[in-house]
Amino acid sequence: MRVLRRFFRSLSSDESGSSLIELATTTSLLMMSICGVMDCSRALYADHFVSDASTEAARYAMTRGATWGTTVCSTPATTSCAATSSNVLAFVKGIAPFGVSTASTALTVTTTWPGTTPAGTTCSYVSVYNSVGCTVKVNVKYNFSFVLPFLPKNTLVLSSTAAFPVVQ
């Protein structure tokens, strides 16, 4: 009986492995926190891109109205041309930074010309949509997914809209 008591007392007073368990627990929590901050920073980075891309795309389209050029833009770098929805999409994909997916399932760019011209014609008609005085409205949506397993698995939809009047 005494031998057993001494044995159990030695087990309860022995703390040689407790520091190893504390280190493992603390290190795991610290690494999860650091990785969580990094993943949330990626989300903020993508949100900043979406906001900036909508503004830059609207500026791109507002300076390439129907009177600016007689041809349709073949590339985002072309200058003397009239912008279309597909040109605005190509422009946004061209300015996407590393780490932001440009796949059609992740990045959506919608360009519209709502409203009327100063003459009263509806801007949504194909022959009038890019006329001076119409408003170009660009909406950029990005489906962001977190990488880490302990963060939400749902897709975070980041969206931004910018609108400017067509000036040329």
Side-chain angles (χ1 to χ4, degrees):
M1 198 65 141
R2 281 186 162 178
V3 175
L4 285 175
R5 271 191 222 150
R6 237 186 275 151
F7 175 73
F8 286 119
R9 278 190 202 144
S10 68
L11 284 179
S12 64
S13 65
D14 186 21
E15 296 182 11
S16 62
S18 66
S19 60
L20 184 61
I21 293 171
E22 290 172 5
L23 176 69
T25 305
T26 306
T27 305
S28 297
L29 290 173
L30 179 67
M31 292 307 292
M32 283 193 318
S33 298
I34 289 172
C35 292
V37 166
M38 288 173 54
D39 216 13
C40 290
S41 296
R42 283 183 50 246
L44 286 173
Y45 181 69
D47 186 51
H48 177 73
F49 161 71
V50 167
S51 176
D52 186 54
S54 66
T55 305
E56 291 298 320
R59 286 181 185 159
Y60 174 83
M62 78 177 240
T63 57
R64 288 169 175 78
T67 60
W68 178 250
T70 56
T71 61
V72 174
C73 301
S74 58
T75 67
T78 309
T79 54
S80 299
C81 59
T84 62
S85 296
S86 60
N87 298 129
V88 175
L89 173 64
F91 177 77
V92 171
K93 285 184 175 185
I95 64 172
F98 177 75
V100 174
S101 174
T102 57
S104 60
T105 56
L107 183 67
T108 308
V109 180
T110 307
T111 308
T112 57
W113 286 265
T116 58
T117 64
T121 311
T122 304
C123 291
S124 60
Y125 292 126
V126 175
S127 61
V128 184
Y129 76 89
N130 218 358
S131 298
V132 173
C134 288
T135 300
V136 61
K137 184 177 178 181
V138 178
N139 180 282
V140 178
K141 287 185 182 177
Y142 182 67
N143 297 326
F144 180 82
S145 298
F146 289 102
V147 176
L148 298 176
F150 57 86
L151 290 175
K153 284 291 185 190
N154 296 342
T155 302
L156 182 64
V157 179
L158 306 171
S159 178
S160 181
T161 302
F164 293 112
V166 176
V167 293
Q168 296 180 358

